Amino acid sequence: MNLRRIIFLFIILFSTVLTAQIKEKSIESVELKSTKKKLKKKENPAYEILQEVWKRKKSNGLGGFKDYQFNEYEKIEVDVTNIDSAFTKKKIFKGLDFVFQYADSTDNGNNLTLPIYFNESVYKNFGKNNPKKEKRDVIANKSSGFSNNEVVANTAKNLYKEINIYDNTLNFFNIGFTSPIARDGFASYDYVLLNDENISGTDCYKIKYTPKRKDVLSIYGVVYISKENYAVVRSTLKSTRNINVNFVNNFYYELEYYNPSDSIFLPRRNYQEIQMSIFGKNEKSKSLLAKKTTLFSKYSFDQNLEDDIFERSTESLSDASVQKSDDYWELERKEPLTESEQNIYKMIDELNKVPKFKKAVKLYETLASGYFNVFNSVDIGDIYSIVGFNDVEGFRLRLGARTYFTPNDMWRAAFYTAYGFKDRQLKYGFEARKMFDRDNRFTIGAGTRRDVMQLGAQLTTDEGIMTRSFASSGVLNVGNNFNLSSVNQTSAFAAIDPLKNFTLRLDATYQTIKSANPEKFSLDYYKNGQLFSELEDTKMAFSITARPGAKFSQYGVDRYEHSTLAPTLVLKYTQGLKGVFGSDFNYSKLQFYYFQPIMLKSFGRLLLNVEAGKNFSTVPLALQNVIPGNQSYSLIPNTFALLDYYEFVTDQYATFHAEHHFNGKLLSYIPLIKKLKLREVAFYRTAIGSLSDYSKNINSTNILLKAPNKPYYEYGFGIENIGFGNIRILRIDFNWRGNYLENIDTRKFGIKFGFQYNF
């Protein structure tokens, strides 16, 4: 999602292919021309020094205090680099040519670097170490003409991850890189002890590190370590020239620490550069250069911080309360702006008066969000859901809209209407939500819909009215799918966050469910000896959702989530209420969902997903747990690639999905293949469950009802990062079915493909 926003930003900025190489940044180290043989680890003097760092790293930094607080000043700049004279004369810049008077010459003097975005923020940070709590409040924000467009600001900010040099694994773009001071660093790097150096009054060892293999995800640089306390005083981290990260040509990080006492080193200044392009790494072509500087100040410790500090609401970038005067910024900046940075504000102010520029920003907003804003109050969309297809409706057109005044609206209403050209039926949906308290996000909402849906495509379902399953909207599918349901649903909910990233939600729903194509798919069931075709269901659902570590940028009724490695845990209990509004069944259902991405250093990223659930009562097929199949050719998370819809139906179930992304670790050993920069994926999926005879006998369906009494499993591998240049978003999976092969119509092998907007 976030990568898609970045791609769209590239497209809007240029009408030509964007490629480039990051401005060369040298590491200030003594160049060694010695050809001596590399030392073994224990013979290397750097090893002795790093051993001392490992012993002390828990006592250095913020972890050594009961609680802490500090200020943080941040500035982010985005430039277009390597602009030549021919590019400035293109028609796209007609009426905009004045912007080039703000451009700077590049190092070679022949091309220009044009700043296009600048953002400053001041934050107040609070923290406790036992138990661990953190809070980051926005105190002030100043943006170069995008103050009302938080999507642009968040796209830029989301490029960066917080880096702690003492972590064994450093997170760049949600890809794990081994830290130069990791305990197993010698497995990834060669170390050379250089001349001693004094950094800000501290005598330091200077150690140069280089990757053992430069054709994989690796970094190099210099680390400066205090001779007295063996703490990191300064470190540089730069990617290798052949870095295999989508849309990124190169990145450079510079971390500085200072010592307020003899034994404590704290962050002082971080500088980061990320060079991005679309199609390649040509040194003379155009690209985006994102630069971020962070300065830390006003540390205080062990102040006995109260718990309510961590429960207060966090301001958003676009809130009026954080828009400060120029005088404020003159006082709060920890280093003065350069002339180029000052000019960005002037340039964007002029650009905002040009209609062509406004249209370009509008186009970016539409492509990135999927909605087109009109009258500064209504969004038309989602544009990516306009066209769909299934065997019951045929081609389906959908048009929707939502209220949208600011990114932080405290209420929002949305509706859609759809029409199927085969069944000639009109569908619709409407939902309204209102948030009453920003501190604990107390929200209520209600909605209704009448639509054709695929009920067998998800286990732990979302109760929202506006959601729709891929299975009833896909265009390319394997075989026919007539197993769709016609659903009339009215629901209301209340939700609250008593703790940060911890949500309690209560849903009340009344719905009727029947087959959308009774001739080919039956949902008939018996009740008191009579046969019924339409189910009436009234239920209450209570869910607990925990997202520890998740980060959000907007704090209205809708939020923009940053890309993190935060886990997701959901516990959900559903109670059917027989007799309420004519409901047919009393039943109880308990479900659990868990998802966790795990970085494994240079070995890639592992994605784990576990679901489990149980019906404690006998219910008909429309209310049962269907192991999610996937009859489309698309990659769909948490589904089984070779199962048909309703192939397995259960009273109780457990599923497990494991997917490991090696990030090219294996293919990089193959001489010719490694030049393609492909990445390998391996996966395994399994499901087990049971279905009682009572549950089978209550139904009169034309589907063979069976459960995976012995574990069903499938496995396979995929190739991702397929494409050209720096656009490598295609993934192809090869899936094999491990068992339940007796049916001649069973799919034993299948290929799935899709687009991944990942670094």
Side-chain angles (χ1 to χ4, degrees):
M1 180 66 173
N2 301 317
L3 260 292
R4 187 174 71 183
R5 296 176 185 271
I6 295 170
I7 295 171
F8 290 146
L9 185 57
F10 276 120
I11 295 172
I12 297 305
L13 289 171
F14 300 120
S15 61
T16 60
V17 174
L18 300 180
T19 52
Q21 170 70 30
I22 192 169
K23 294 189 294 185
E24 292 298 326
K25 184 173 284 291
S26 60
I27 296 175
E28 48 291 289
S29 61
V30 177
E31 290 296 328
L32 299 181
K33 297 184 178 179
S34 172
T35 58
K36 292 182 179 179
K37 183 179 179 180
K38 293 179 182 178
L39 298 173
K40 294 181 180 180
K41 181 172 74 171
K42 294 187 177 180
E43 296 174 350
N44 192 328
Y47 177 69
E48 219 175 301
I49 297 169
L50 289 173
Q51 277 187 309
E52 296 299 323
V53 175
W54 301 334
K55 291 178 184 177
R56 293 167 169 80
K57 71 176 185 177
K58 287 187 178 180
S59 63
N60 285 317
L62 299 174
F65 302 96
K66 179 181 177 182
D67 59 58
Y68 54 87
Q69 52 187 302
F70 60 91
N71 283 9
E72 180 182 344
Y73 167 78
E74 170 193 272
K75 61 180 179 182
I76 295 176
E77 178 180 343
V78 180
D79 300 336
V80 182
T81 63
N82 290 322
I83 301 175
D84 54 29
S85 58
F87 185 74
T88 63
K89 296 176 182 178
K90 290 184 177 293
K91 290 183 179 180
I92 190 175
F93 293 111
K94 187 176 181 181
L96 300 173
D97 50 341
F98 68 89
V99 301
F100 294 109
Q101 66 181 313
Y102 296 100
D104 295 326
S105 296
T106 56
D107 293 339
N108 59 27
N110 297 323
N111 295 327
L112 300 175
T113 293
L114 176 67
I116 58 171
Y117 174 76
F118 192 70
N119 181 277
E120 295 179 275
S121 300
V122 176
Y123 301 93
K124 182 72 173 181
N125 292 272
F126 304 89
K128 274 188 173 183
N129 283 312
N130 189 23
K132 187 67 174 179
K133 293 183 179 181
E134 290 181 324
K135 179 72 178 297
R136 190 174 188 240
D137 286 338
V138 182
I139 305 301
N141 179 257
K142 185 177 183 181
S143 190
S144 58
F146 294 105
S147 59
N148 293 324
N149 186 356
E150 199 162 346
V151 173
V152 176
N154 287 326
T155 300
K157 289 175 177 289
N158 200 37
L159 290 173
Y160 302 98
K161 304 296 178 185
E162 296 178 4
I163 300 298
N164 182 353
I165 194 68
Y166 287 99
D167 291 338
N168 286 326
T169 303
L170 304 181
N171 181 4
F172 297 108
F173 319 108
N174 282 343
I175 297 174
F177 291 75
T178 302
S179 170
I181 62 168
R183 288 184 178 273
D184 59 350
F186 277 84
S188 300
Y189 303 110
D190 293 318
Y191 295 87
V192 177
L193 180 62
L194 304 178
N195 298 335
D196 295 347
E197 193 164 324
N198 186 281
I199 303 294
S200 301
T202 302
D203 291 330
C204 298
Y205 297 110
K206 183 178 181 181
I207 300 175
K208 178 181 179 180
Y209 64 96
T210 55
K212 291 183 179 293
R213 296 183 60 213
K214 296 182 179 180
D215 52 358
V216 295
L217 293 169
S218 56
I219 54 178
Y220 67 95
V222 174
V223 59
Y224 300 84
I225 297 172
S226 166
K227 299 181 73 173
E228 181 179 358
N229 301 303
Y230 293 93
V232 176
V233 178
R234 188 169 182 268
S235 180
T236 60
L237 309 97
K238 185 175 181 180
S239 61
T240 56
R241 185 176 297 274
N242 295 322
I243 181 173
N244 186 7
V245 178
N246 288 329
F247 314 106
V248 176
N249 279 358
N250 223 322
F251 65 81
Y252 173 82
Y253 278 48
E254 192 174 288
L255 310 176
E256 294 183 16
Y257 302 83
Y258 81 107
N259 52 330
S261 68
D262 291 338
S263 59
I264 300 171
F265 283 74
L266 300 169
R268 176 168 64 181
R269 184 181 188 274
N270 294 344
Y271 175 77
Q272 306 170 46
E273 277 191 10
I274 301 175
Q275 179 71 25
M276 304 187 68
S277 64
I278 289 184
F279 291 108
K281 305 180 185 296
N282 191 314
E283 295 182 3
K284 298 180 180 179
S285 300
K286 304 163 191 66
S287 63
L288 292 184
L289 180 63
K291 299 181 286 187
K292 177 184 176 184
T293 302
T294 308
L295 301 170
F296 304 89
S297 63
K298 298 183 180 179
Y299 283 96
S300 60
F301 307 101
D302 297 336
Q303 300 296 305
N304 294 318
L305 296 179
E306 299 293 335
D307 288 340
D308 62 355
I309 288 178
F310 300 93
E311 298 170 1
R312 292 199 305 259
S313 64
T314 302
E315 299 292 342
S316 176
L317 297 178
S318 58
D319 285 346
S321 58
V322 301
Q323 310 303 316
K324 305 295 185 182
S325 66
D326 291 341
D327 292 338
Y328 171 89
W329 287 104
E330 289 296 328
L331 292 173
E332 288 298 321
R333 289 189 184 106
K334 301 307 174 184
E335 61 182 31
L337 298 183
T338 65
E339 182 179 355
S340 173
E341 291 170 340
Q342 295 176 25
N343 285 337
I344 301 177
Y345 287 121
K346 299 177 184 177
M347 182 188 73
I348 297 295
D349 286 342
E350 293 186 49
L351 271 176
N352 279 329
K353 301 174 184 177
V354 180
K356 181 183 289 188
F357 177 74
K358 291 182 178 180
K359 291 179 181 178
V361 173
K362 187 84 167 183
L363 178 59
Y364 166 70
E365 291 175 346
T366 301
L367 294 174
S369 68
Y371 289 88
F372 180 79
N373 187 263
V374 293
F375 309 120
N376 294 321
S377 58
V378 175
D379 276 353
I380 306 298
D382 180 354
I383 62 174
Y384 300 109
S385 301
I386 292 177
V387 179
F389 177 85
N390 60 67
D391 291 310
V392 173
E393 296 177 280
F395 279 102
R396 166 190 170 106
L397 293 181
R398 180 184 187 275
L399 182 65
R402 67 182 183 183
T403 60
Y404 195 93
F405 300 94
T406 73
N408 296 301
D409 290 341
M410 298 291 283
W411 68 276
R412 186 146 291 150
F415 87 95
Y416 73 88
T417 183
Y419 182 78
F421 287 89
K422 185 175 181 180
D423 67 353
R424 299 182 181 179
Q425 295 291 319
L426 187 69
K427 294 87 179 176
Y428 61 84
F430 172 80
E431 184 180 55
R433 294 169 293 137
K434 166 69 175 177
M435 190 168 74
F436 293 91
D437 191 313
R438 181 181 284 189
D439 287 355
N440 56 31
R441 297 191 59 78
F442 175 60
T443 306
I444 64 171
T448 185
R449 68 176 163 190
R450 175 186 181 274
D451 210 340
V452 171
M453 303 176 62
Q454 177 67 65
L455 299 181
Q458 191 177 9
L459 284 168
T460 312
T461 57
D462 185 342
E463 300 290 340
I465 290 293
M466 302 301 290
T467 58
R468 180 173 173 82
S469 165
F470 75 94
S472 52
S473 300
V475 177
L476 297 176
N477 298 288
V478 179
N480 296 322
N481 176 27
F482 297 100
N483 302 338
L484 296 167
S485 301
S486 179
V487 179
N488 263 324
Q489 178 183 349
T490 299
S491 64
F493 78 89
I496 190 171
D497 286 16
L499 301 172
K500 182 180 179 182
N501 295 338
F502 186 86
T503 303
L504 305 179
R505 174 167 169 148
L506 181 65
D507 288 88
T509 301
Y510 169 75
Q511 60 184 348
T512 63
I513 305 173
K514 63 181 180 180
S515 172
N517 189 358
E519 295 180 358
K520 297 185 177 181
F521 173 55
S522 172
L523 283 175
D524 293 355
Y525 65 94
Y526 292 101
K527 179 185 175 186
N528 298 327
Q530 293 184 322
L531 186 65
F532 293 86
S533 297
E534 183 171 346
L535 171 74
E536 290 190 79
D537 175 44
T538 301
K539 62 180 180 178
M540 301 286 288
F542 176 70
S543 61
I544 303 172
T545 302
R547 298 289 317 284
K551 295 184 179 180
F552 302 91
S553 294
Q554 296 163 357
Y555 295 89
V557 69
D558 288 327
R559 295 191 291 184
Y560 174 90
E561 183 174 352
H562 284 240
S563 174
T564 67
L565 297 172
T568 301
L569 297 97
V570 179
L571 184 64
K572 181 178 180 181
Y573 175 77
T574 304
Q575 178 64 54
L577 304 172
K578 183 178 180 179
V580 179
F581 301 118
S583 179
D584 293 318
F585 290 92
N586 265 327
Y587 62 91
S588 301
K589 179 189 290 188
L590 185 64
Q591 293 174 291
F592 172 75
Y593 171 93
Y594 171 68
F595 172 75
Q596 176 71 72
I598 303 173
M599 281 197 311
L600 299 175
K601 297 185 180 180
S602 60
F603 292 98
R605 185 172 69 254
L606 176 64
L607 305 180
L608 297 178
N609 179 273
V610 176
E611 292 190 72
K614 179 178 176 63
N615 278 342
F616 294 91
S617 314
T618 300
V619 292
L621 180 59
L623 298 177
Q624 275 291 8
N625 306 301
V626 182
I627 303 300
N630 180 7
Q631 288 183 226
S632 76
Y633 284 101
S634 301
L635 300 170
I636 307 298
N638 302 332
T639 64
F640 289 84
L642 299 176
L643 282 184
D644 292 338
Y645 306 123
Y646 291 98
E647 186 169 345
F648 288 131
V649 180
T650 67
D651 288 321
Q652 54 187 352
Y653 65 89
T655 67
F656 173 76
H657 297 251
E659 180 175 288
H660 187 72
H661 298 252
F662 291 90
N663 291 334
K665 180 79 172 180
L666 304 179
L667 294 177
S668 65
Y669 285 97
I670 305 175
L672 296 178
I673 297 297
K674 69 180 182 180
K675 294 184 178 180
L676 298 176
K677 297 186 177 180
L678 302 175
R679 301 178 190 168
E680 57 284 297
V681 182
F683 46 82
Y684 177 82
R685 314 179 188 104
T686 186
I688 188 171
S690 63
L691 184 67
S692 70
D693 290 336
Y694 294 105
S695 295
K696 293 178 182 178
N697 294 335
I698 197 177
N699 290 286
S700 178
T701 178
N702 57 345
I703 292 178
L704 176 62
L705 298 178
K706 63 178 181 178
N709 297 305
K710 64 176 181 179
Y712 165 82
Y713 70 96
E714 57 188 38
Y715 57 91
F717 71 91
I719 302 296
E720 59 183 354
N721 215 43
I722 301 172
F724 57 92
N726 265 9
I727 296 186
R728 299 176 174 274
I729 59 177
L730 178 63
R731 170 178 163 180
I732 300 177
D733 279 5
F734 304 90
N735 302 267
W736 283 268
R737 182 167 175 148
N739 55 0
Y740 291 93
L741 303 172
E742 55 275 7
N743 192 324
I744 60 173
D745 295 327
T746 295
R747 290 179 288 145
K748 301 177 177 62
F749 171 78
I751 297 176
K752 307 288 183 181
F753 63 90
F755 296 106
Q756 294 184 152
Y757 296 95
N758 297 325
F759 283 105

